[in-house]
Amino acid sequence: MITSVIWIVFALFGVIPFMLGHNPLSFTDAVFEVISGLTTTGASMISDVEALPHGLLFWRALTQWIGGLGIVLFMLAVLPELNKATGISMFQAEATGITHDKIHPRIRQTAISVWGVYCVLTIVTILLLWAGPMSLFDSTCQTFAAVATGGFTTRNAGVEYWHSDYVLVVLAVSMFLAGLNFSMMYNVWRNGIMTALRNSIFRVFSIVTLCAFLLLMFSLAVSGEDTGEGGGAVKAFFHVVSAITSTGFTIGSAEGWGPFALFLTVMLMLCGSCTGSTSGGIKIDRLMALNTNLGNEIKRTVFPKRTYVVHLNGMALNTAQMSRITAFVFIYLVVVIVSTGIIAMYGYAFEDSLFMTASCIGCNGLGYGATGAGGGYALLPDGVKWLLTADMLVGRLELFTFLVLFLPSFWRR
């Protein structure tokens, strides 16, 4: 309850700059904007970001950066009083994943170490972008969006404003690293690169990203779709990484890449990257566990007396963990279906309804059709905006932490 309320309270404070600043937003739009930032979704109510003052642009970027690892994890790092059982429970309620391993005995040390990796990645990316065509301010804001897998930019044209493959490559690498488990990256820093190479989740995430890139390139070659000016391979790779890590940086020409590219993008948004990262989606870890469990069930049909165990990166998952994974994926898909149906009732096409739902619950922020080049999130009815705002919160807090508040038995307890 504390974790959910903290996110809502921070959002209510976060709307103040948007409602009192340059070209003030309505309450609905301001809540959507700040929740989109804190949940690192990156869907925006502001059509002309270049008209905003630097202070408000930096605030948008900062909401993503703080929300990337999580408000509660930030509080655990700076408030020693939370280094107790309550702090551990809050950390487990907010952190993404099947299990929540501590890399230090004390939760505050774990939080500080993870934030250390996060800050190093942020500083390195800022310097690399600053060394290219960006100013220090633009490089800072774009970095906050990339390492938090958020997607807010400081330019109306997005990252294509700079017309630079160098920028796309730096941001793609930064997004890919932000899609990895930060605890694993800390262990890589301590114990060497072999820690990552031995990690099965890292290998599968890398293979899925590479396969998606090759499929997209094959689709573009077969259909003869135009990738716009510049290198098609760089743009395709950038788009794939942006989608699977739920960053939501947009390539303007991507909306015209054909139906298979749209299908692949939706699949990547639903998939997500690794647990313990800043990204959204179902997560590679859970899909790996479900895949292994499916194989075990098929084998059990042939050999019913044998015992099969689901292993994930060398760790055996018990029945309770597998039940929670199955329930998570089922509820996740139910929320997608229900939200898509409600939005379709407002008169939007099915593909538009599905895309904006998958984008928001996956904390992605990509736009297509009604929310892409043909419109924008600001043009949606208020009812749809509030539904998508709830989807963003549900997706960021990974369902259970948020949905438990609607159980009467929880309040009686």
Side-chain angles (χ1 to χ4, degrees):
M1 182 180 69
I2 292 173
T3 300
S4 299
V5 169
I6 282 175
W7 277 78
I8 295 172
V9 170
F10 265 68
L12 293 177
F13 277 103
V15 303
I16 296 175
F18 294 110
M19 297 185 68
L20 299 181
H22 185 76
N23 292 332
L25 301 177
S26 66
F27 179 71
T28 297
D29 288 357
V31 170
F32 185 99
E33 190 78 11
V34 75
I35 290 294
S36 180
L38 290 173
T39 59
T40 71
T41 303
S44 182
M45 291 286 111
I46 303 170
S47 57
D48 186 8
V49 294
E50 292 182 25
L52 298 179
H54 278 194
L56 203 52
L57 288 174
F58 184 78
W59 175 244
R60 291 172 80 236
L62 187 62
T63 57
Q64 296 176 108
W65 193 75
I66 294 294
L69 285 183
I71 298 170
V72 171
L73 190 63
F74 177 74
M75 294 171 62
L76 290 173
V78 299
L79 298 178
E81 184 63 24
L82 291 178
N83 193 26
K84 298 177 181 178
T86 303
I88 296 174
S89 299
M90 291 168 62
F91 166 71
Q92 292 176 340
E94 182 188 61
T96 62
I98 303 170
T99 60
H100 306 114
D101 299 325
K102 296 191 299 180
I103 54 181
H104 295 292
R106 299 175 69 83
I107 188 64
R108 183 166 180 260
Q109 292 175 310
T110 297
I112 291 174
S113 296
V114 172
W115 270 98
V117 175
Y118 193 57
C119 290
V120 169
L121 178 60
T122 300
I123 294 170
V124 171
T125 305
I126 289 174
L127 295 176
L128 289 174
L129 292 177
W130 192 21
M134 290 189 186
S135 66
L136 178 59
F137 176 79
D138 282 333
S139 63
T140 300
C141 291
Q142 262 59 232
T143 295
F144 281 4
V147 299
T149 60
F152 281 155
T153 69
T154 56
R155 301 293 176 178
N156 294 332
V159 294
E160 286 189 302
Y161 171 85
W162 290 275
H163 302 287
S164 171
D165 285 349
Y166 171 80
V167 168
L168 297 183
V169 171
V170 170
L171 289 175
V173 172
S174 178
M175 290 186 293
F176 181 84
L177 293 176
L180 302 177
N181 187 300
F182 276 84
S183 297
M184 184 203 73
M185 285 198 283
Y186 177 81
N187 289 327
V188 168
W189 176 70
R190 293 291 302 272
N191 304 313
I193 189 63
M194 290 304 298
T195 304
L197 298 179
R198 287 193 294 264
N199 190 297
S200 61
I201 300 170
F202 168 78
R203 294 197 302 269
V204 171
F205 173 57
S206 302
I207 291 171
V208 169
T209 303
L210 178 60
C211 289
F213 165 68
L214 295 176
L215 283 172
L216 181 57
M217 288 298 296
F218 179 75
S219 170
L220 293 175
V222 170
S223 61
E225 297 290 349
D226 184 17
T227 58
E229 298 179 3
V234 173
K235 288 187 176 182
F237 180 73
F238 180 87
H239 178 77
V240 166
V241 176
S242 178
I244 196 171
T245 60
S246 78
T247 306
F249 279 137
T250 302
I251 295 293
S253 57
E255 196 167 333
W257 287 353
F260 179 80
L262 173 63
F263 166 78
L264 184 64
T265 301
V266 173
M267 292 298 102
L268 292 174
M269 289 194 301
L270 292 175
C271 173
S273 47
C274 307
T275 59
S277 67
T278 60
S279 65
I282 295 174
K283 303 290 192 307
I284 289 288
D285 313 49
R286 292 190 179 94
L287 296 177
M288 290 174 61
L290 287 177
N291 179 66
T292 303
N293 191 54
L294 174 62
N296 288 347
E297 291 302 320
I298 295 175
K299 295 175 185 176
R300 190 174 284 112
T301 303
V302 182
F303 305 105
K305 294 185 179 181
R306 290 187 179 181
T307 301
Y308 298 94
V309 179
V310 175
H311 287 90
L312 186 63
N313 198 35
M315 178 185 66
L317 301 182
N318 57 40
T319 303
Q321 289 170 323
M322 282 306 306
S323 297
R324 188 176 179 88
I325 292 172
T326 304
F328 176 90
V329 175
F330 175 76
I331 299 173
Y332 193 97
L333 296 179
V334 167
V335 173
V336 170
I337 293 170
V338 172
S339 296
T340 300
I342 294 174
I343 295 172
M345 291 173 65
Y346 279 84
Y348 290 96
F350 169 73
E351 59 269 23
D352 289 356
S353 303
L354 175 61
F355 196 95
M356 66 178 79
T357 297
S359 183
C360 286
I361 194 173
C363 299
N364 197 293
L366 282 172
Y368 171 82
T371 55
Y377 286 92
L379 302 179
L380 299 175
D382 284 354
V384 176
K385 291 176 184 176
W386 282 108
L387 174 63
L388 295 178
T389 300
D391 283 344
M392 288 187 283
L393 273 175
V394 168
R396 176 58 182 84
L397 296 178
E398 296 212 320
L399 301 179
F400 297 112
T401 300
F402 187 78
L403 296 181
V404 72
L405 300 179
F406 296 94
L407 288 178
S409 57
F410 170 79
W411 296 101
R412 286 197 298 268
R413 180 183 177 190

